[in-house]
Amino acid sequence: MHSICLFPGTFDPVTLGHTDIIDRALPLFDELIIGIGINSGKVPMYSVEQRVEWIREIYKDEPKIKVTSYEGLTVTFCKQVNARFILRGIRYVADFEYEKAIADINRKMDPDVETIFLTCSPEFSTIASTLVRDVIRNGGDAAQFLPGVVAKSIQQQKKS
């Protein structure tokens, strides 16, 4: 059986915390779909196209990774892409409580989809896209929190 996992998120921007979870999940599944959720209630800092491009560039040599965007319920999207697993990264206990509630609702909506939690590596536990966006908005250097491709792209955008 081909195991497909969806890693949903906004990835605005994709951080080293995200890539830590992705890299460590790769051996667990036959295919890992990075799903950039479009949330009408949020105004992202970076376009969906930009975020898809970043992830594609980071993982251009990894055939097990696919990148796409989606709208609507994550469990509905899982059915569309035949994913039986949802991957979620956990930094702190508060993350787990929030993510468990979502996993419980998803399980009630579709008992065939299982949520898998991976804790992030300690060196990435403080990295959150929200904080990284604040650093960028306020003119700080966020490169230490970002994959090289993303940091370089953001630097180039600042110059133009």
Side-chain angles (χ1 to χ4, degrees):
M1 182 186 246
H2 190 71
S3 63
I4 301 172
C5 181
L6 173 67
F7 184 26
T10 54
F11 305 97
D12 186 34
V14 61
T15 69
L16 292 174
H18 294 126
T19 57
D20 172 56
I21 296 296
I22 293 166
D23 295 345
R24 291 178 31 247
L26 268 174
L28 305 176
F29 304 101
D30 297 317
E31 184 177 328
L32 185 57
I33 300 170
I34 312 301
I36 299 176
I38 300 171
N39 182 336
S40 59
K42 290 184 179 179
V43 178
M45 189 169 190
Y46 299 99
S47 71
V48 170
E49 295 78 17
Q50 174 68 81
R51 291 176 274 157
V52 166
E53 184 182 314
W54 282 334
I55 296 169
R56 282 193 178 137
E57 179 62 24
I58 293 164
Y59 291 103
K60 66 183 177 205
D61 297 324
E62 180 46 70
K64 289 170 68 171
I65 290 185
K66 309 278 187 285
V67 187
T68 189
S69 61
Y70 73 98
E71 292 185 68
L73 295 173
T74 299
V75 290
T76 302
F77 187 63
C78 283
K79 275 209 185 315
Q80 292 171 12
V81 295
N82 296 314
R84 289 195 45 245
F85 304 96
I86 296 172
L87 174 65
R88 298 302 296 156
I90 303 290
R91 290 173 299 177
Y92 299 110
V93 172
D95 285 352
F96 177 74
E97 290 173 356
Y98 175 74
E99 294 293 345
K100 185 186 180 310
I102 294 170
D104 290 346
I105 293 292
N106 285 340
R107 189 177 306 108
K108 284 188 182 285
M109 288 190 291
D110 189 340
D112 294 330
V113 176
E114 192 63 56
T115 300
I116 308 293
F117 298 108
L118 279 184
T119 58
C120 69
S121 297
E123 62 269 30
F124 304 117
S125 65
T126 58
I127 300 175
S129 291
T130 305
L131 299 175
V132 172
R133 285 193 305 271
D134 285 344
V135 170
I136 294 165
R137 268 193 203 102
N138 290 292
D141 182 5
Q144 63 186 317
F145 311 116
L146 302 168
V149 167
V150 178
K152 183 178 178 184
S153 171
I154 289 172
Q155 274 300 96
Q156 288 172 341
Q157 288 174 21
K158 281 184 181 179
K159 291 177 182 175
S160 21

